[in-house]
Amino acid sequence: MFVGRFTPLVELFTGHVAQYVFTSSVAVYKRSYVQPVREDFRLHDPTSKDPRTTYGVGKVRCEQFLLAEHERTGLATTSLRVGHTIGPLSPLGTREPSFFARLEQGRPILIPGDGFPFVHLVHVADVASLMASLVGNERAAGRTYNVNGPQWASVLGCMRLMAKVVGVEADIVHVPLDVARTVRPPLVHWGEALVGGVTVSIDKALAELDWRPQFGLEAAYRDSYEWFRAGGKDRYTFDFTAEDELLSRLRV
């Protein structure tokens, strides 16, 4: 993502819209020893060339560009640092859809190490309701908010919750971390599984916006699975060949 792409959009909307809302990401944050992460915690260096942080760095640059436009022209911009999402219509099958498919097929669920690192997730409907709460809220101009759910769980806990809503027992296979770090594509969608968990504070959004997240983790997974089972699965194609090869090596 390049800030230059924003220039024509800002030129187009300045003076013609009341608010400009940017969907950012919790990927903007550097690793923190203290949890939960608040909006004033350290961000990635916007000049960084490290390919591992390209996505987060791009978001930082966009946020800073929009804040500067707000201060320069008065354009009411708001940046939303959204966490990992759960819910229907996921554009990425590597989130819960692929695990629902594995569970339905009785396949093993491979996770890195013990699966103890935790992940903080949010239902897409809760993200949407926060966006709706911004309408007409002048206090949100020039502000940044973390957007996440009220609960978090370990990677292993997420797998158990997904198995619960599918109605099966998960066959968990713990892959040694040194092996899991070499697997491509990664065993699970969340990078936290390999580098440690992160939670973010949503206190600022709760205090300043007319918003409360409605979905706990189990309810979020249940809603997502109901959509998947009702036909959402037809949107995806899954290939577990590489996973089967890894299983064979592990068993040897």
Coordinates of all heavy atoms in Angstrom, one line a residue, residues 45-117:
D45 N 8.2 1.9 12.0 CA 8.8 3.1 11.4 C 8.3 3.2 10.0 O 8.4 2.2 9.2 CB 10.3 2.8 11.4 CG 11.1 4.0 10.7 OD1 10.4 4.9 10.1 OD2 12.3 4.0 10.8
P46 N 7.6 4.3 9.6 CA 7.0 4.4 8.2 C 8.1 4.4 7.1 O 7.7 4.2 6.0 CB 6.3 5.7 8.3 CG 7.0 6.5 9.4 CD 7.4 5.5 10.4
T47 N 9.4 4.5 7.4 CA 10.4 4.4 6.4 C 11.0 3.0 6.3 O 11.9 2.8 5.5 CB 11.5 5.4 6.7 OG1 12.2 5.1 7.9 CG2 10.9 6.8 6.8
S48 N 10.6 2.1 7.2 CA 11.2 0.7 7.2 C 11.0 0.0 5.9 O 10.0 0.1 5.2 CB 10.5 -0.1 8.3 OG 10.9 -1.4 8.3
K49 N 12.1 -0.7 5.5 CA 12.1 -1.5 4.3 C 12.0 -3.0 4.6 O 12.2 -3.8 3.7 CB 13.4 -1.2 3.5 CG 13.6 0.3 3.1 CD 12.4 0.8 2.2 CE 12.7 2.2 1.8 NZ 11.6 2.8 1.0
D50 N 11.8 -3.3 5.9 CA 11.8 -4.8 6.3 C 10.6 -5.4 5.6 O 9.4 -5.0 5.9 CB 11.7 -4.8 7.8 CG 11.8 -6.3 8.3 OD1 11.5 -7.2 7.5 OD2 12.1 -6.5 9.5
P51 N 10.8 -6.4 4.7 CA 9.6 -7.0 4.0 C 8.6 -7.7 5.0 O 7.5 -7.9 4.6 CB 10.3 -8.0 3.1 CG 11.6 -8.3 3.7 CD 12.0 -7.0 4.3
R52 N 9.1 -8.1 6.2 CA 8.2 -8.7 7.1 C 7.1 -7.8 7.7 O 6.1 -8.3 8.2 CB 9.0 -9.3 8.3 CG 10.0 -10.4 7.9 CD 10.9 -10.8 9.0 NE 11.7 -9.7 9.4 CZ 12.6 -9.7 10.4 NH1 12.8 -10.8 11.1 NH2 13.3 -8.6 10.7
T53 N 7.4 -6.5 7.6 CA 6.4 -5.5 8.2 C 5.8 -4.6 7.1 O 5.2 -3.6 7.5 CB 7.1 -4.7 9.2 OG1 8.2 -4.0 8.6 CG2 7.7 -5.5 10.4
T54 N 5.9 -5.0 5.8 CA 5.5 -4.2 4.8 C 4.0 -3.8 4.9 O 3.6 -2.6 4.7 CB 5.6 -4.9 3.4 OG1 7.0 -5.1 3.2 CG2 5.1 -4.1 2.3
Y55 N 3.1 -4.7 5.3 CA 1.7 -4.5 5.4 C 1.5 -3.4 6.5 O 0.8 -2.4 6.2 CB 1.0 -5.7 5.7 CG -0.5 -5.6 5.9 CD1 -1.4 -5.3 4.8 CD2 -1.1 -5.6 7.2 CE1 -2.7 -5.2 5.0 CE2 -2.5 -5.5 7.3 CZ -3.3 -5.2 6.2 OH -4.6 -5.1 6.4
G56 N 2.0 -3.6 7.7 CA 1.8 -2.7 8.8 C 2.4 -1.3 8.5 O 1.8 -0.3 8.8
V57 N 3.6 -1.3 7.9 CA 4.3 0.0 7.5 C 3.4 0.8 6.6 O 3.2 2.0 6.7 CB 5.7 -0.3 6.9 CG1 6.2 1.0 6.3 CG2 6.6 -0.8 8.0
G58 N 2.8 0.1 5.6 CA 1.9 0.8 4.6 C 0.7 1.4 5.3 O 0.3 2.5 5.0
K59 N 0.2 0.7 6.3 CA -0.9 1.2 7.1 C -0.5 2.5 7.9 O -1.3 3.4 8.0 CB -1.5 0.2 8.0 CG -2.2 -1.0 7.3 CD -3.5 -0.6 6.6 CE -4.3 -1.8 6.1 NZ -5.6 -1.5 5.5
V60 N 0.7 2.4 8.5 CA 1.2 3.5 9.3 C 1.3 4.8 8.4 O 0.9 5.9 8.7 CB 2.5 3.2 9.9 CG1 3.2 4.5 10.5 CG2 2.4 2.1 11.0
R61 N 1.8 4.6 7.2 CA 2.0 5.7 6.3 C 0.7 6.3 5.9 O 0.6 7.5 5.8 CB 2.8 5.2 5.0 CG 4.2 4.8 5.3 CD 4.9 4.2 4.1 NE 5.0 5.2 3.0 CZ 5.3 4.9 1.8 NH1 5.5 3.6 1.4 NH2 5.4 5.9 0.9
C62 N -0.3 5.5 5.6 CA -1.6 6.0 5.2 C -2.2 6.7 6.4 O -2.8 7.8 6.2 CB -2.5 4.8 4.8 SG -2.0 4.0 3.3
E63 N -2.1 6.2 7.6 CA -2.7 6.9 8.8 C -2.1 8.3 8.9 O -2.8 9.3 9.2 CB -2.4 6.1 10.0 CG -3.3 4.9 10.2 CD -3.1 4.3 11.6 OE1 -2.5 4.9 12.5 OE2 -3.6 3.1 11.8
Q64 N -0.8 8.3 8.8 CA -0.1 9.6 9.0 C -0.4 10.6 7.9 O -0.6 11.8 8.2 CB 1.4 9.3 9.1 CG 1.8 8.6 10.3 CD 3.3 8.4 10.4 OE1 4.1 8.6 9.5 NE2 3.8 7.9 11.6
F65 N -0.6 10.1 6.7 CA -1.0 11.0 5.6 C -2.3 11.6 5.9 O -2.6 12.8 5.7 CB -1.0 10.2 4.3 CG -1.5 11.0 3.1 CD1 -0.7 11.9 2.5 CD2 -2.8 10.7 2.7 CE1 -1.2 12.6 1.4 CE2 -3.3 11.4 1.6 CZ -2.5 12.4 0.9
L66 N -3.3 10.8 6.3 CA -4.6 11.3 6.5 C -4.7 12.2 7.7 O -5.5 13.2 7.7 CB -5.6 10.1 6.7 CG -5.9 9.3 5.5 CD1 -6.7 8.0 5.8 CD2 -6.6 10.1 4.4
L67 N -4.0 11.9 8.8 CA -3.9 12.8 9.9 C -3.4 14.2 9.5 O -3.9 15.2 9.9 CB -3.1 12.2 11.0 CG -3.0 13.1 12.3 CD1 -4.4 13.4 12.9 CD2 -2.1 12.4 13.3
A68 N -2.3 14.2 8.7 CA -1.8 15.4 8.2 C -2.8 16.2 7.4 O -2.9 17.4 7.5 CB -0.5 15.1 7.4
E69 N -3.6 15.5 6.5 CA -4.6 16.2 5.8 C -5.7 16.8 6.7 O -6.2 17.8 6.4 CB -5.2 15.2 4.8 CG -4.4 14.8 3.6 CD -4.1 16.1 2.8 OE1 -5.0 16.8 2.3 OE2 -2.9 16.4 2.6
H70 N -6.0 16.0 7.7 CA -7.0 16.6 8.7 C -6.5 17.9 9.3 O -7.2 18.9 9.4 CB -7.3 15.5 9.8 CG -8.0 16.1 10.9 ND1 -9.4 16.4 10.9 CD2 -7.6 16.3 12.2 CE1 -9.8 16.9 12.0 NE2 -8.7 16.8 12.9
E71 N -5.2 17.9 9.7 CA -4.7 19.1 10.3 C -4.5 20.2 9.3 O -4.6 21.4 9.7 CB -3.3 18.7 11.0 CG -3.5 17.7 12.1 CD -2.2 17.2 12.7 OE1 -1.1 17.4 12.0 OE2 -2.2 16.6 13.8
R72 N -4.2 19.9 8.1 CA -3.9 20.9 7.0 C -5.2 21.5 6.5 O -5.3 22.7 6.3 CB -3.1 20.3 5.9 CG -2.7 21.3 4.9 CD -1.8 20.6 3.8 NE -2.5 19.7 3.0 CZ -3.1 20.0 1.9 NH1 -3.2 21.3 1.5 NH2 -3.8 19.1 1.2
T73 N -6.2 20.6 6.2 CA -7.4 21.1 5.5 C -8.7 21.0 6.3 O -9.7 21.5 5.9 CB -7.6 20.3 4.2 OG1 -8.0 18.9 4.5 CG2 -6.3 20.3 3.4
G74 N -8.6 20.3 7.4 CA -9.8 20.1 8.2 C -10.7 18.9 7.8 O -11.8 18.6 8.3
L75 N -10.2 18.1 6.8 CA -10.9 16.9 6.4 C -11.1 16.0 7.6 O -10.1 15.6 8.3 CB -10.1 16.2 5.3 CG -10.7 14.8 4.8 CD1 -12.0 15.1 4.1 CD2 -9.7 14.1 3.8
A76 N -12.3 15.6 7.9 CA -12.6 14.8 9.1 C -12.2 13.3 8.8 O -13.0 12.6 8.2 CB -14.0 14.9 9.4
T77 N -11.0 12.9 9.1 CA -10.5 11.6 8.9 C -10.5 10.8 10.2 O -10.2 11.3 11.3 CB -9.1 11.6 8.3 OG1 -8.2 12.1 9.3 CG2 -9.1 12.4 7.0
T78 N -10.8 9.5 10.1 CA -10.8 8.6 11.3 C -10.1 7.3 10.8 O -10.5 6.8 9.8 CB -12.2 8.3 11.8 OG1 -12.8 9.5 12.1 CG2 -12.1 7.5 13.1
S79 N -9.1 6.8 11.6 CA -8.5 5.5 11.2 C -8.9 4.5 12.2 O -8.9 4.7 13.4 CB -7.0 5.7 11.2 OG -6.5 6.6 10.2
L80 N -9.3 3.3 11.7 CA -9.7 2.2 12.5 C -8.7 1.1 12.4 O -8.5 0.5 11.3 CB -11.1 1.7 12.1 CG -12.2 2.8 12.1 CD1 -13.5 2.2 11.6 CD2 -12.4 3.4 13.4
R81 N -8.1 0.7 13.5 CA -7.1 -0.3 13.6 C -7.8 -1.6 13.9 O -8.0 -2.0 15.1 CB -6.0 0.0 14.6 CG -5.1 1.2 14.1 CD -4.2 1.6 15.2 NE -3.4 2.8 14.7 CZ -2.7 3.6 15.5 NH1 -2.6 3.3 16.9 NH2 -2.0 4.6 15.0
V82 N -8.2 -2.4 12.9 CA -9.0 -3.6 13.0 C -8.2 -4.8 13.3 O -7.1 -4.9 12.7 CB -9.9 -3.8 11.8 CG1 -10.8 -5.0 11.9 CG2 -10.7 -2.5 11.5
G83 N -8.6 -5.6 14.2 CA -7.9 -6.9 14.4 C -8.3 -8.0 13.5 O -8.9 -7.8 12.4
H84 N -7.9 -9.2 13.8 CA -8.2 -10.4 12.9 C -9.7 -10.6 13.0 O -10.3 -10.5 14.1 CB -7.6 -11.6 13.5 CG -6.1 -11.6 13.4 ND1 -5.3 -11.5 12.2 CD2 -5.2 -11.7 14.4 CE1 -4.1 -11.5 12.5 NE2 -3.9 -11.6 13.8
T85 N -10.3 -10.8 11.8 CA -11.8 -10.9 11.8 C -12.3 -12.3 11.7 O -11.6 -13.2 11.2 CB -12.3 -10.1 10.6 OG1 -11.7 -10.5 9.4 CG2 -12.1 -8.6 10.8
I86 N -13.5 -12.5 12.2 CA -14.3 -13.7 12.1 C -15.6 -13.4 11.4 O -16.2 -12.3 11.6 CB -14.6 -14.3 13.4 CG1 -13.4 -14.5 14.3 CG2 -15.4 -15.6 13.3 CD1 -13.7 -15.0 15.7
G87 N -16.2 -14.3 10.6 CA -17.5 -14.0 10.2 C -17.8 -14.5 8.7 O -16.9 -14.9 8.0
P88 N -19.0 -14.4 8.3 CA -19.4 -14.7 6.9 C -18.7 -13.9 5.9 O -18.2 -12.8 6.2 CB -20.9 -14.4 6.9 CG -21.4 -14.5 8.3 CD -20.2 -14.0 9.1
L89 N -18.6 -14.5 4.7 CA -18.0 -13.9 3.5 C -16.5 -13.5 3.7 O -16.0 -12.6 3.1 CB -18.8 -12.6 3.2 CG -20.3 -12.8 2.9 CD1 -21.0 -11.4 2.9 CD2 -20.4 -13.5 1.5
S90 N -15.8 -14.3 4.4 CA -14.4 -14.1 4.6 C -13.7 -14.1 3.2 O -13.9 -15.1 2.5 CB -13.7 -15.1 5.5 OG -12.3 -14.9 5.6
P91 N -12.9 -13.1 2.9 CA -12.2 -13.1 1.6 C -11.0 -14.1 1.7 O -10.4 -14.4 0.6 CB -11.7 -11.7 1.5 CG -11.5 -11.2 2.9 CD -12.6 -11.9 3.6
L92 N -10.6 -14.6 2.8 CA -9.5 -15.5 3.0 C -9.9 -16.8 3.6 O -10.3 -16.9 4.8 CB -8.4 -14.8 3.9 CG -7.8 -13.5 3.3 CD1 -6.8 -13.0 4.4 CD2 -7.0 -13.9 2.1
G93 N -9.8 -17.8 2.8 CA -10.2 -19.2 3.3 C -9.2 -19.7 4.4 O -9.6 -20.6 5.1
T94 N -8.1 -19.0 4.5 CA -7.1 -19.4 5.6 C -7.5 -19.1 7.0 O -6.9 -19.5 7.9 CB -5.7 -18.8 5.3 OG1 -5.9 -17.4 5.1 CG2 -5.1 -19.4 4.0
R95 N -8.6 -18.2 7.1 CA -9.1 -18.0 8.4 C -10.0 -19.2 8.8 O -9.6 -20.3 8.5 CB -9.9 -16.7 8.4 CG -9.0 -15.4 8.2 CD -9.8 -14.2 7.9 NE -9.0 -13.0 7.7 CZ -9.3 -11.9 7.2 NH1 -10.6 -11.7 6.8 NH2 -8.5 -10.9 7.1
E96 N -11.1 -19.0 9.4 CA -11.9 -20.1 9.9 C -12.4 -21.1 8.8 O -12.6 -22.3 9.1 CB -13.0 -19.7 10.8 CG -14.1 -18.9 10.2 CD -13.9 -17.4 10.3 OE1 -12.7 -17.0 10.4 OE2 -14.9 -16.6 10.2
P97 N -12.7 -20.6 7.6 CA -13.3 -21.5 6.6 C -12.5 -22.8 6.4 O -13.0 -23.9 6.3 CB -13.4 -20.7 5.3 CG -13.6 -19.3 5.8 CD -12.7 -19.2 7.0
S98 N -11.2 -22.7 6.2 CA -10.4 -23.9 6.0 C -10.4 -24.9 7.2 O -10.3 -26.1 7.0 CB -8.9 -23.5 5.7 OG -8.3 -23.0 6.8
F99 N -10.5 -24.3 8.4 CA -10.6 -25.2 9.5 C -12.0 -25.8 9.7 O -12.1 -27.0 10.1 CB -10.2 -24.4 10.8 CG -8.8 -24.0 10.8 CD1 -8.4 -22.8 10.4 CD2 -7.8 -25.0 11.1 CE1 -7.0 -22.4 10.4 CE2 -6.4 -24.6 11.0 CZ -6.1 -23.4 10.7
F100 N -13.0 -25.1 9.3 CA -14.4 -25.7 9.3 C -14.3 -26.9 8.3 O -14.9 -28.0 8.5 CB -15.4 -24.7 8.8 CG -15.7 -23.6 9.8 CD1 -16.2 -22.4 9.4 CD2 -15.6 -23.9 11.2 CE1 -16.5 -21.4 10.3 CE2 -15.9 -22.9 12.1 CZ -16.3 -21.6 11.7
A101 N -13.7 -26.7 7.1 CA -13.6 -27.8 6.1 C -12.9 -29.0 6.7 O -13.3 -30.1 6.5 CB -12.9 -27.2 4.9
R102 N -11.8 -28.7 7.3 CA -11.0 -29.8 7.9 C -11.8 -30.6 9.0 O -11.8 -31.8 9.0 CB -9.7 -29.3 8.6 CG -8.7 -28.8 7.6 CD -7.4 -28.3 8.4 NE -6.4 -27.8 7.5 CZ -6.2 -26.6 7.1 NH1 -7.1 -25.6 7.6 NH2 -5.2 -26.2 6.4
L103 N -12.5 -29.9 9.8 CA -13.3 -30.5 10.9 C -14.4 -31.3 10.3 O -14.7 -32.4 10.7 CB -13.8 -29.4 11.8 CG -12.7 -28.7 12.7 CD1 -13.3 -27.4 13.3 CD2 -12.3 -29.7 13.8
E104 N -15.1 -30.8 9.2 CA -16.2 -31.5 8.6 C -15.7 -32.8 8.0 O -16.4 -33.8 7.9 CB -16.9 -30.7 7.6 CG -17.7 -29.6 8.1 CD -18.5 -28.8 7.0 OE1 -18.2 -28.9 5.9 OE2 -19.6 -28.2 7.4
Q105 N -14.5 -32.8 7.4 CA -13.9 -33.9 6.7 C -13.2 -34.9 7.7 O -12.7 -35.9 7.3 CB -12.9 -33.4 5.7 CG -13.6 -32.6 4.6 CD -12.5 -32.0 3.6 OE1 -11.4 -32.6 3.4 NE2 -12.9 -30.9 3.0
G106 N -13.1 -34.5 9.0 CA -12.4 -35.4 9.9 C -10.9 -35.3 9.8 O -10.2 -36.3 10.2
R107 N -10.4 -34.3 9.2 CA -9.0 -34.2 9.0 C -8.3 -33.7 10.3 O -8.9 -33.0 11.2 CB -8.6 -33.1 7.9 CG -9.1 -33.5 6.5 CD -8.6 -32.5 5.5 NE -7.2 -32.4 5.6 CZ -6.3 -33.2 5.0 NH1 -6.8 -34.2 4.2 NH2 -5.0 -33.0 5.1
P108 N -7.0 -34.1 10.5 CA -6.2 -33.5 11.6 C -6.1 -32.0 11.5 O -6.1 -31.4 10.4 CB -4.9 -34.2 11.5 CG -5.1 -35.4 10.6 CD -6.2 -35.0 9.7
I109 N -6.0 -31.4 12.7 CA -5.8 -29.9 12.7 C -4.4 -29.7 13.2 O -4.0 -30.0 14.4 CB -6.8 -29.3 13.7 CG1 -8.2 -29.6 13.3 CG2 -6.5 -27.8 13.8 CD1 -8.7 -29.0 12.0
L110 N -3.5 -29.2 12.3 CA -2.1 -29.0 12.6 C -1.9 -27.6 13.2 O -2.3 -26.6 12.6 CB -1.3 -29.1 11.4 CG -0.9 -30.6 10.9 CD1 -2.2 -31.3 10.5 CD2 0.1 -30.6 9.8
I111 N -1.3 -27.5 14.3 CA -1.0 -26.2 14.9 C 0.5 -26.1 15.4 O 1.1 -27.1 15.7 CB -1.9 -25.8 16.1 CG1 -1.8 -26.8 17.2 CG2 -3.4 -25.7 15.6 CD1 -2.6 -26.5 18.5
P112 N 1.1 -24.9 15.3 CA 2.5 -24.8 15.7 C 2.6 -25.0 17.2 O 1.9 -24.4 18.0 CB 2.9 -23.4 15.3 CG 1.8 -23.0 14.3 CD 0.6 -23.7 14.7
G113 N 3.6 -25.8 17.6 CA 3.9 -26.0 19.0 C 2.7 -26.4 19.9 O 1.8 -27.2 19.4
D114 N 2.6 -25.9 21.1 CA 1.5 -26.2 22.0 C 0.3 -25.5 21.7 O -0.8 -25.8 22.2 CB 2.0 -26.0 23.5 CG 3.0 -26.9 24.0 OD1 3.0 -28.1 23.5 OD2 3.9 -26.5 24.7
G115 N 0.4 -24.4 20.9 CA -0.8 -23.7 20.6 C -1.2 -22.7 21.7 O -2.4 -22.3 21.7
F116 N -0.3 -22.3 22.5 CA -0.6 -21.5 23.7 C -0.7 -20.0 23.3 O -1.4 -19.2 24.0 CB 0.3 -21.7 24.8 CG 0.2 -23.0 25.5 CD1 1.2 -23.6 26.2 CD2 -1.0 -23.8 25.3 CE1 1.1 -24.8 26.8 CE2 -1.1 -25.0 25.9 CZ 0.0 -25.6 26.7
P117 N 0.0 -19.5 22.3 CA -0.1 -18.0 22.0 C -1.5 -17.7 21.8 O -2.3 -18.4 21.2 CB 0.8 -17.9 20.7 CG 1.8 -19.0 20.8 CD 1.0 -20.1 21.4

